[in-house]
Amino acid sequence: MIPVSEPLLAGVEAKYVADCIQTGWISSEGRYLAAFEQAWAQYCGAEFGIGVSNGTTALQIAVAALGLEPGSEIILPSFTIISCSLAIVEAGCVPVLVDVEPETWALDLDQVEAKITSKTRAIMPVHMFGHPVDMPRLMKIAARYNLKVIEDAAEAHGAEVDGRRVGGIGDLSTFSFYANKIITTGEGGMVLTSDEGLAKRLRSLRNLCFKPERRFFHTELGHNYRLTNLQAAIGLAQLERIDEHLAKKRWMATSYAERLRDLHQLRLPIELPGYKNVYWMYSIVLSDDVPFDAVEFAKRLQQLGVQTRPLFLGMHEQPVFHERGLHLNERYPVTERLARRGLYLPSGLTLTIEQIDAVSDAVHKVLA
Ligand SMILES: *Cc1c(COP(=O)(O)O)cnc(C)c1O
């Protein structure tokens, strides 16, 4: 079976982790944590990095740090992971959905302005599967309506728009370093910002809102969402080789495209001019003339030894939100189509050309 995702780990990770163990710095203090936070912020073009336990907790403290009054609305794409909506609902805010663009699956900016009300306080673009959202245009909309921007860049490490890396453009950005992300710490995440006040709030929220001047004295409730020095050691080693990881993803995308582009039954990922797509996972969508859906497609590929994963099911189709009276009778056709007709192929960082050949042959066979 060709696995859908595998991390690429090297001797440097082991060396740094061994150093943590030998020196006893294994919890959430230590030089690797500070070094990783600083290096990642710098890489993305932000001033401050706040390491956290995962990409979901990164979103949770990013929304919480804005200190919005209950009932504030935050606009986000329906086509995303539940972590985004969870962070909004948990902060007492209201998720307001828009559809995504059919080609890039990025937040459809043409639909954003129509959803802005007197209660809107923020926009949460998600750089989906490695293709950035049009951030210059989004930042202009945000400025016009005085809205904060939280970029979810979990899937887009190193992706660029107009020569700027994602994660350094919004007021806040969040990352995941889960094992299937472009660089990993096993489990882990980070929030970036260039606003010193927000950075201070984020550090406090991540660490139980302890007061620096008086420990065990609290004026607000926080969380324990800390990242360990051990995880940061892995992250720093990964970051040293990020160019190699990004080159591998782009090589994978080119290789798949060469082998699949003659199939009129498939929509393949694209890269719009002015953008750098990092092709987190190679995702394909069945056209309408294919007589089966993605579930059946996945089953047939599995029988040929190819593991796949479905794409997200939109937030507007989630019973957990319907029960709360959210998104009832809303429709987002692009999101619905991606959920039913799309999947991603094996895209791990250890993928070989023989595996890409085998996967592509299997796709041809199933669609023949
Ligand atoms: C992976 C991911 C997350 C969540 O990250 P975890 O570390 O798994 O909590 C959030 N947003 C997006 C877009 C993701 O792909």
Side-chain angles (χ1 to χ4, degrees):
M1 186 66 60
I2 301 175
V4 81
S5 162
E6 274 188 322
L8 188 59
L9 296 158
V12 198
E13 281 85 337
K15 190 175 140 228
Y16 290 177
V17 168
D19 183 42
C20 295
I21 292 168
Q22 277 152 16
T23 56
W25 292 95
I26 58 169
S27 79
S28 58
E29 283 177 49
R31 67 187 186 88
Y32 289 103
L33 181 61
F36 182 46
E37 287 178 332
Q38 199 175 2
W40 187 247
Q42 189 175 7
Y43 179 81
C44 298
E47 216 164 318
F48 307 101
I50 296 90
V52 289
S53 49
N54 56 63
T56 304
T57 53
L59 283 159
Q60 286 173 273
I61 62 167
V63 175
L66 293 177
L68 302 174
E69 65 270 43
S72 297
E73 295 173 359
I74 300 181
I75 297 175
L76 78 163
S78 181
F79 185 66
T80 190
I81 190 167
I82 192 138
S83 311
C84 300
S85 289
L86 168 73
I88 293 169
V89 170
E90 242 199 16
C93 298
V94 181
V96 173
L97 303 177
V98 297
D99 211 348
V100 292
E101 291 179 358
E103 297 282 348
T104 61
W105 313 348
L107 182 74
D108 188 340
L109 296 184
D110 289 336
Q111 299 183 24
V112 166
E113 273 185 90
K115 292 277 177 114
I116 295 175
T117 72
S118 60
K119 289 186 185 158
T120 310
R121 295 291 176 270
I123 311 176
M124 184 186 282
V126 184
H127 305 298
M128 201 53 77
F129 285 88
H131 197 296
V133 172
D134 182 350
M135 289 304 291
R137 187 174 158 208
L138 184 142
M139 294 309 287
K140 272 186 214 142
I141 297 172
R144 199 176 314 139
Y145 294 91
N146 196 22
L147 307 175
K148 296 288 184 198
V149 174
I150 302 172
E151 296 176 72
D152 181 347
E155 302 178 357
H157 305 175
E160 293 173 19
V161 44
D162 282 356
R164 286 183 71 187
R165 291 212 174 104
V166 302
I169 305 170
D171 299 280
L172 292 153
S173 67
T174 66
F175 289 89
S176 165
F177 303 118
Y178 182 65
N180 70 4
K181 302 292 154 94
I182 290 175
I183 67 163
T184 183
T185 58
E187 296 278 357
M190 205 179 293
V191 186
L192 302 183
T193 183
S194 293
D195 180 316
E196 198 171 357
L198 281 175
K200 220 174 139 194
R201 257 187 82 62
L202 290 161
R203 287 188 196 287
S204 180
L205 286 165
R206 147 183 93 171
N207 192 23
L208 296 168
C209 292
F210 285 127
K211 294 247 171 259
E213 59 281 4
R214 188 174 165 196
R215 212 174 168 82
F216 304 122
F217 177 77
H218 300 272
T219 54
E220 62 182 323
L221 291 176
H223 308 271
N224 176 355
Y225 289 162
R226 298 184 298 253
L227 184 72
T228 66
N229 199 48
L230 282 165
Q231 291 166 308
I234 298 173
L236 194 65
Q238 290 265 301
L239 178 53
E240 288 172 9
R241 294 194 320 279
I242 191 169
D243 288 344
E244 190 189 317
H245 291 203
L246 294 172
K248 182 85 195 231
K249 291 288 188 188
R250 289 181 69 83
W251 167 82
M252 166 194 80
T254 312
S255 305
Y256 271 133
E258 280 166 4
R259 288 159 180 75
L260 301 176
R261 76 176 143 230
D262 59 314
L263 289 169
H264 64 88
Q265 304 98 317
L266 288 183
R267 269 274 175 93
L268 306 180
I270 63 153
E271 179 180 65
L272 290 179
Y275 294 82
K276 180 180 177 185
N277 187 345
V278 290
Y279 301 101
W280 171 57
M281 294 288 167
Y282 200 79
S283 314
I284 59 178
V285 184
L286 293 170
S287 62
D288 292 332
D289 54 1
V290 176
F292 49 82
D293 65 7
V295 174
E296 179 63 25
F297 191 25
K299 208 181 290 168
R300 295 184 191 190
L301 286 171
Q302 172 99 17
Q303 282 161 2
L304 296 173
V306 176
Q307 212 179 56
T308 63
R309 289 278 184 277
L311 305 186
F312 299 117
L313 178 64
M315 293 302 106
H316 71 289
E317 296 200 83
Q318 303 289 349
V320 70
F321 295 128
H322 297 165
E323 279 166 24
R324 286 164 172 73
L326 288 167
H327 317 319
L328 293 165
N329 306 314
E330 291 179 22
R331 301 297 303 272
Y332 301 101
V334 179
T335 297
E336 289 174 21
R337 189 156 183 288
L338 293 174
R340 284 157 185 76
R341 311 289 294 172
L343 55 71
Y344 65 80
L345 298 174
S347 304
L349 286 165
T350 61
L351 206 62
T352 64
I353 197 68
E354 290 76 22
Q355 289 177 319
I356 290 178
D357 275 334
V359 171
S360 305
D361 288 350
V363 171
H364 274 270
K365 211 173 274 176
V366 170
L367 293 175

